[in-house]
Amino acid sequence: MARGDRREELLDAAEGVIEEEGVAGLTIDRVAARAGVAKGTVYLYFASKEQLVGALKGRCLEQMTGMVVAALADLESGDWWGTADAVVEAVVDFDLSHRWVIAVMATESGDEESKAVYGEATQQMIGLLEAALRQGAVEGVFEVDDPETTARLLYFALEGTLHHTILYEPEVDRERLVTAAQTLIHRALGDA
Amino acid sequence: MARGDRREELLDAAEGVIEEEGVAGLTIDRVAARAGVAKGTVYLYFASKEQLVGALKGRCLEQMTGMVVAALADLESGDWWGTADAVVEAVVDFDLSHRWVIAVMATESGDEESKAVYGEATQQMIGLLEAALRQGAVEGVFEVDDPETTARLLYFALEGTLHHTILYEPEVDRERLVTAAQTLIHRALGDA
Amino acid sequence: MARGDRREELLDAAEGVIEEEGVAGLTIDRVAARAGVAKGTVYLYFASKEQLVGALKGRCLEQMTGMVVAALADLESGDWWGTADAVVEAVVDFDLSHRWVIAVMATESGDEESKAVYGEATQQMIGLLEAALRQGAVEGVFEVDDPETTARLLYFALEGTLHHTILYEPEVDRERLVTAAQTLIHRALGDA
Amino acid sequence: MARGDRREELLDAAEGVIEEEGVAGLTIDRVAARAGVAKGTVYLYFASKEQLVGALKGRCLEQMTGMVVAALADLESGDWWGTADAVVEAVVDFDLSHRWVIAVMATESGDEESKAVYGEATQQMIGLLEAALRQGAVEGVFEVDDPETTARLLYFALEGTLHHTILYEPEVDRERLVTAAQTLIHRALGDA
DNA sequence: TATGAATGAGTCTTCATTCAT
DNA sequence: TATGAATGAAGACTCATTCAT
C-alpha cells in the first residue's frame, strides 16, 4: 500500500470515529481500530494526535476549497449571481455532509504548526472569494471598495452561521440556510 | 461569604485558568487552586465540570446581552446607524476583552442542558437585534423583508468573524475588525 | 427530643438509605438528609461511619434476638417441634423484612469494637438456641451430645442460607425457604 | 508472558492485597503495585474494578469446585461417610487457606454479570453435592426425599458457618470446625 | 445541640505515547 | 513497516470528617 493511501485511510477512520463518538471520543485507539491497524502504526504516519487533528482540518479545508474552485468555474458563463448562489449552496452542502468534522474545526489545537496550516488554508479559501468579488466588480455586477475584507466577512458570516447551526440546532433546515446565506451575499453586495 | 459570591469567584477563577492555560488546560484542580479553595469545594457549587463550563458560557452570554441592551438604549436618540455602529463596537470590545472565554463558547459540551441554555441565550441575543431591525424599518431607515433571519445572519457573521480572528490571528487589529463589521451591516441593510 | 430517639432515627435513616441505594450507597450525607438533620449532627451521635454501621448491626441482631425470645416463649406449651418451626419461620420473616440490612451484616467493619459487639450479640442469639436444645433434650424430645456446637451450626446454617438467598436470588420463595430450614432442623436433631 | 498468565498474576496480587489490607483496602493501585505493573496495565485485563472482583470470586469458586470434585472421586471406594467427611475437611481447609478471599465472596458487587457468574458457579457446586447425595441414597447409605434442597441446605450451612467463623473469630479451631460440620451432615442425613 | 460549608486524601479510569519484537 | 502490551501522568469525582458559628 502506498504511504499516502494509508495516511488517507487513517484520516478517514478519524472522521468516522468523530461521526460515531463525537469530537471528545476521538482517540488514537479508536482511529487505529477503525482503520484496522495497530495503535503504533498511527504514529508511523502522524507524530502526535495533535498533528492528526491538524491534518484532518487541513484536508477538510482543502476539499472545501476544491469544491469552491469547481463551483467558481461557472463564473465564465457570465452569470455572476447565479454562480455565487451555486457556490453558497456548495459550501452549505459540504458543511452539512461533513458536519462531524466541522465540530473539530472549531477546536483548539495547541499545536502552533497546525494552527498555521489551518490559517493558510483559510486564507487561500478567502483569496478565492476575493478573486470572485473582483471579477464581479470588473464585470460591473456590483461595486466593492475593499474586496479582501468583504470576502473575509462573507466567508466567516457563512461559516459562522453554519457552524453554530450544525453544532447547536440538530434539525438543520437546509433550504432556509441556503436562502439566508444567499440573501446575505446579495444584500451585502447590493444586488438591486 | 454569600453563596452566590463564591460561585462567581469560581467562574472567575475558571476564566483565569483558561486565560493562562487555554481551554484544554481547564481542570477542576486548577480552578480550585486559582480560587484558593479545595477541590471538593468546586463540587459544592457545580455538579460536574460540564456544568461549570455550561455556567461559564451562560454567564458570558448574559454579560454580552447586558452590554448590547445598554448600547441599544441609544436607539431612542433617533440615530439608528450611529447606534448600530456603537453596538458593533461594543460587541467587538466585549469579545476582545473576553477572548479566552470566547474559545470555550466554540467548545462542545456533551451536556444537553448546557447546550439548551446556550441556545436560548443566543436566541435572546438575536431577539434583541431583531427588535432593533424592526425599529429601523419602522423608522424608515431601511427595509427588511425577514428581520428574524437577517438578525441571525448578522449576529453569526459578526461572531463568526470575531471567533475565528480571536482564535487564529493572535494580533487582532481592533479598528479593522470594527470597520469591517460595521460595513457589513450597512451594506447588508442597504445604507445608501 | 430525647437523645436516644435521635439516635434511633439516624439508624432508621441508615436502613432506609441501604434499602434504596444499596450498601455501597450508604453515606453520611444521605443518612443525614434522610433523617432531616445536618451532616455534622450525625457525628454528635456516632463517632464515625464505622461505629454507625456497627450500631446498625448490633440493633438488628438485638431485634432478631427479641423476636426469637418471644417465639421461644411457646416452648412452655410443651410442643417443642411446633415451637422450633415457629422460631424458624420468625427468623426467616425477620431476615426477609430486613433484607437490606442483612447485606450489611456480611460486611467487614474494620472497627475492632464493632466486631466485638457483633460477636457478642451473635453469641447471645446462639445461647438462646442452645437453651432451647437443652430443654428439648431434657424433655426427651431428642438427644444432643453437644448442644452448644449444634446450636451454632444450626444458627449459621439458617443464616448462611438466608443471606445467600437474599443477596443472590432476588425472587425469594418464602415457603420453600421455611420448609427447607425446618426440615434441616428436624433432620439434624433426629425427628422420627 | 502468556496473556492468561498475566491475568492470573493480577488475581494473585489482588488476593495478596486483600490478605494484607482487608477487602476495603483492595484498590487498583495496590493490585498493580503488588503485581509489579503499571496501573493502566490492570485495565488491559479487567475492564473495571468490579470485573476484577467478579473474576476473583469466579476463580475462587472454580478452585473450590475442583477440590470437591477431586475429593468426591473417593466415592468409588464405596465408603460414603468417609468420603463425605473428607469432602468436609477439604472444604474447611480450602476456606481457611483462602480466608481473605472468602471475605470478598460476601461482598456486594453491583455488577449484575458478576452476580450471575457467582450464582452459576454456586449452583454447580451444589449440583456436585446433590449428585453425591443421590449416589448415597442409591447405595442405600441413607434416605433423602429432596436431594436438591438438602444439598443446598448443607452447602450453605457449611459455608455460612465457615464465613462467619473466619470473619469474626480470628482464632479458628480447625478441628472443632471440621468435627462440627461432619456431625451436621451425619445427623442431617440420619447416620445411625 | 445543631449546622453545613469546607476540606483534601483517596479512587477509579482514560489515553497519548513508547518500545521491544 | 507493523504490532500491541505496557506505561504512568493526568483528571474527574467522592466522601468521611472537621470546625467556626
Side-chain angles (χ1 to χ4, degrees):
Chain A
M1 175 178 294
R3 186 172 175 91
D5 293 354
R6 174 55 59 88
R7 211 183 124 96
E8 289 303 303
E9 276 181 10
L10 288 171
L11 290 176
D12 290 342
E15 282 191 18
V17 170
I18 292 173
E19 185 169 341
E20 283 179 8
E21 315 271 1
V23 176
L26 180 66
T27 68
I28 297 294
D29 233 347
R30 287 204 251 252
V31 170
R34 196 164 225 272
V37 301
K39 213 186 316 192
T41 304
V42 177
Y43 283 87
L44 257 25
Y45 295 88
F46 300 96
S48 69
K49 189 192 171 185
E50 253 176 9
Q51 293 218 352
L52 186 155
V53 172
L56 207 55
K57 285 186 179 184
R59 189 177 75 159
C60 185
L61 224 34
E62 253 172 48
Q63 293 171 342
M64 195 176 175
T65 305
M67 292 213 123
V68 172
V69 167
L72 282 176
D74 283 342
L75 228 41
E76 297 186 358
S77 70
D79 178 12
W80 204 94
W81 294 116
T83 305
D85 287 351
V87 168
V88 165
E89 222 165 333
V91 170
V92 170
D93 285 336
F94 181 87
D95 276 20
L96 286 179
S97 65
H98 288 71
R99 58 170 65 191
W100 303 111
V101 194
I102 291 303
V104 195
M105 307 295 275
T107 295
E108 256 200 336
S109 141
D111 197 52
E112 282 308 315
E113 196 190 324
S114 301
K115 276 192 173 180
V117 169
Y118 183 63
E120 282 170 36
T122 306
Q123 205 51 50
Q124 197 181 339
M125 182 76 215
I126 293 172
L128 240 39
L129 302 182
E130 186 189 340
L133 287 182
R134 284 185 196 285
Q135 185 166 342
V138 166
E139 291 175 1
V141 181
F142 49 75
E143 287 176 15
V144 237
D145 295 333
D146 181 353
E148 209 261 312
T149 307
T150 307
R152 284 178 66 84
L153 230 32
L154 290 177
Y155 173 70
F156 289 126
L158 194 50
E159 282 297 313
T161 305
L162 282 165
H163 283 198
H164 182 93
T165 309
I166 287 172
L167 292 178
Y168 292 97
E169 298 176 13
E171 304 298 329
V172 179
D173 179 342
R174 179 188 176 277
E175 298 318 315
R176 196 176 168 198
L177 219 48
V178 167
T179 309
Q182 290 171 338
T183 304
L184 176 78
I185 290 182
H186 284 249
R187 276 185 178 143
L189 297 177
D191 185 15
Chain B
M1 173 179 297
R3 193 171 168 89
D5 292 355
R6 175 52 60 90
R7 209 185 127 95
E8 289 303 304
E9 274 182 12
L10 288 170
L11 289 177
D12 290 343
E15 283 191 18
V17 170
I18 292 174
E19 184 169 342
E20 283 179 7
E21 316 269 2
V23 175
L26 180 66
T27 70
I28 297 294
D29 247 340
R30 285 204 255 254
V31 171
R34 194 165 228 272
V37 301
K39 206 185 325 189
T41 303
V42 177
Y43 284 90
L44 250 31
Y45 296 88
F46 301 97
S48 67
K49 188 191 170 185
E50 250 176 13
Q51 291 216 356
L52 187 155
V53 172
L56 208 54
K57 285 187 180 184
R59 188 177 75 159
C60 185
L61 223 34
E62 252 174 49
Q63 293 172 342
M64 195 175 171
T65 305
M67 293 212 122
V68 171
V69 167
L72 282 176
D74 283 342
L75 229 41
E76 297 185 0
S77 70
D79 178 11
W80 203 95
W81 294 115
T83 305
D85 288 351
V87 168
V88 166
E89 222 165 335
V91 171
V92 170
D93 285 336
F94 181 87
D95 277 20
L96 286 180
S97 66
H98 288 72
R99 57 169 66 192
W100 302 111
V101 192
I102 291 302
V104 194
M105 308 295 275
T107 295
E108 258 200 332
S109 138
D111 195 53
E112 282 308 315
E113 197 190 324
S114 301
K115 275 192 173 180
V117 169
Y118 183 63
E120 282 170 39
T122 305
Q123 205 51 50
Q124 197 182 339
M125 182 76 217
I126 292 172
L128 242 39
L129 302 182
E130 187 188 340
L133 287 182
R134 284 186 196 283
Q135 184 165 346
V138 167
E139 292 175 1
V141 182
F142 49 75
E143 289 175 14
V144 237
D145 295 333
D146 181 353
E148 210 259 312
T149 308
T150 308
R152 282 178 68 82
L153 229 33
L154 289 177
Y155 173 70
F156 289 125
L158 194 51
E159 282 297 314
T161 306
L162 282 164
H163 283 196
H164 181 92
T165 308
I166 286 171
L167 292 178
Y168 294 97
E169 299 175 12
E171 302 298 330
V172 180
D173 179 343
R174 180 188 176 277
E175 297 318 316
R176 198 176 165 196
L177 218 47
V178 168
T179 308
Q182 291 172 336
T183 303
L184 176 78
I185 290 181
H186 284 249
R187 276 182 177 146
L189 296 177
D191 184 17
Chain C
M1 173 179 295
R3 185 171 175 93
D5 293 354
R6 175 55 60 87
R7 210 183 123 96
E8 288 305 303
E9 275 182 10
L10 288 171
L11 290 176
D12 290 343
E15 282 192 18
V17 170
I18 292 172
E19 184 168 343
E20 284 179 7
E21 316 270 1
V23 176
L26 180 66
T27 67
I28 297 295
D29 233 346
R30 287 204 253 251
V31 171
R34 198 164 223 272
V37 301
K39 212 184 319 190
T41 304
V42 177
Y43 283 88
L44 254 27
Y45 295 87
F46 300 97
S48 68
K49 188 192 171 186
E50 255 176 8
Q51 293 218 355
L52 186 157
V53 171
L56 206 56
K57 286 186 180 185
R59 189 177 76 159
C60 185
L61 222 35
E62 253 172 48
Q63 292 172 344
M64 195 174 173
T65 306
M67 292 212 121
V68 171
V69 167
L72 283 176
D74 282 343
L75 228 40
E76 297 186 359
S77 71
D79 179 10
W80 202 94
W81 293 117
T83 304
D85 287 350
V87 168
V88 165
E89 222 165 333
V91 170
V92 170
D93 285 335
F94 182 86
D95 276 19
L96 285 180
S97 65
H98 288 72
R99 57 170 67 191
W100 302 111
V101 194
I102 291 303
V104 196
M105 308 295 274
T107 296
E108 256 200 335
S109 141
D111 196 53
E112 282 308 316
E113 196 190 324
S114 301
K115 276 191 173 180
V117 169
Y118 183 64
E120 282 170 37
T122 305
Q123 204 50 49
Q124 196 182 339
M125 181 78 217
I126 293 172
L128 241 40
L129 302 182
E130 186 188 340
L133 286 182
R134 285 186 195 284
Q135 184 167 343
V138 165
E139 292 173 2
V141 182
F142 48 76
E143 288 175 14
V144 237
D145 296 333
D146 179 354
E148 209 260 313
T149 308
T150 307
R152 283 178 65 83
L153 230 31
L154 289 177
Y155 172 70
F156 288 125
L158 194 50
E159 283 297 313
T161 305
L162 282 165
H163 283 198
H164 182 92
T165 309
I166 287 173
L167 292 179
Y168 294 97
E169 298 175 11
E171 304 298 329
V172 179
D173 179 343
R174 179 188 176 277
E175 299 318 316
R176 196 175 167 198
L177 219 47
V178 168
T179 308
Q182 290 172 338
T183 303
L184 176 77
I185 289 180
H186 285 248
R187 275 184 178 144
L189 297 177
D191 184 17
Chain D
M1 173 179 296
R3 191 169 171 91
D5 293 355
R6 174 54 58 89
R7 210 184 126 95
E8 289 305 303
E9 274 182 11
L10 288 170
L11 289 176
D12 291 343
E15 283 191 17
V17 169
I18 292 172
E19 183 168 343
E20 283 179 7
E21 317 270 1
V23 176
L26 180 66
T27 69
I28 297 294
D29 246 341
R30 287 205 254 253
V31 171
R34 196 165 226 272
V37 301
K39 208 185 320 188
T41 303
V42 177
Y43 284 89
L44 249 30
Y45 296 88
F46 302 97
S48 66
K49 188 191 171 187
E50 251 175 13
Q51 292 217 355
L52 186 155
V53 172
L56 208 54
K57 286 186 178 184
R59 189 177 75 159
C60 185
L61 224 33
E62 251 174 49
Q63 292 171 345
M64 194 175 174
T65 305
M67 292 211 123
V68 171
V69 167
L72 282 175
D74 283 343
L75 229 40
E76 298 186 358
S77 70
D79 178 11
W80 203 95
W81 294 115
T83 304
D85 288 349
V87 167
V88 166
E89 220 164 336
V91 170
V92 170
D93 285 335
F94 181 88
D95 276 20
L96 286 180
S97 65
H98 289 71
R99 57 169 66 190
W100 303 111
V101 193
I102 291 302
V104 195
M105 308 295 274
T107 295
E108 256 200 335
S109 138
D111 196 52
E112 280 309 315
E113 198 190 324
S114 300
K115 276 191 172 179
V117 169
Y118 183 63
E120 282 172 37
T122 306
Q123 205 50 50
Q124 197 182 338
M125 182 77 216
I126 293 172
L128 240 40
L129 302 182
E130 186 188 341
L133 287 181
R134 285 186 194 283
Q135 184 166 343
V138 166
E139 291 174 2
V141 181
F142 48 76
E143 289 176 13
V144 236
D145 296 333
D146 181 353
E148 210 259 311
T149 307
T150 309
R152 282 178 67 83
L153 231 30
L154 289 177
Y155 173 69
F156 289 125
L158 193 50
E159 282 297 314
T161 306
L162 282 165
H163 283 197
H164 182 92
T165 309
I166 287 172
L167 291 178
Y168 294 97
E169 298 175 12
E171 302 299 328
V172 180
D173 179 343
R174 179 188 176 278
E175 297 318 317
R176 196 176 168 200
L177 218 48
V178 168
T179 308
Q182 290 172 338
T183 303
L184 175 78
I185 289 180
H186 283 249
R187 277 183 176 146
L189 296 177
D191 184 16

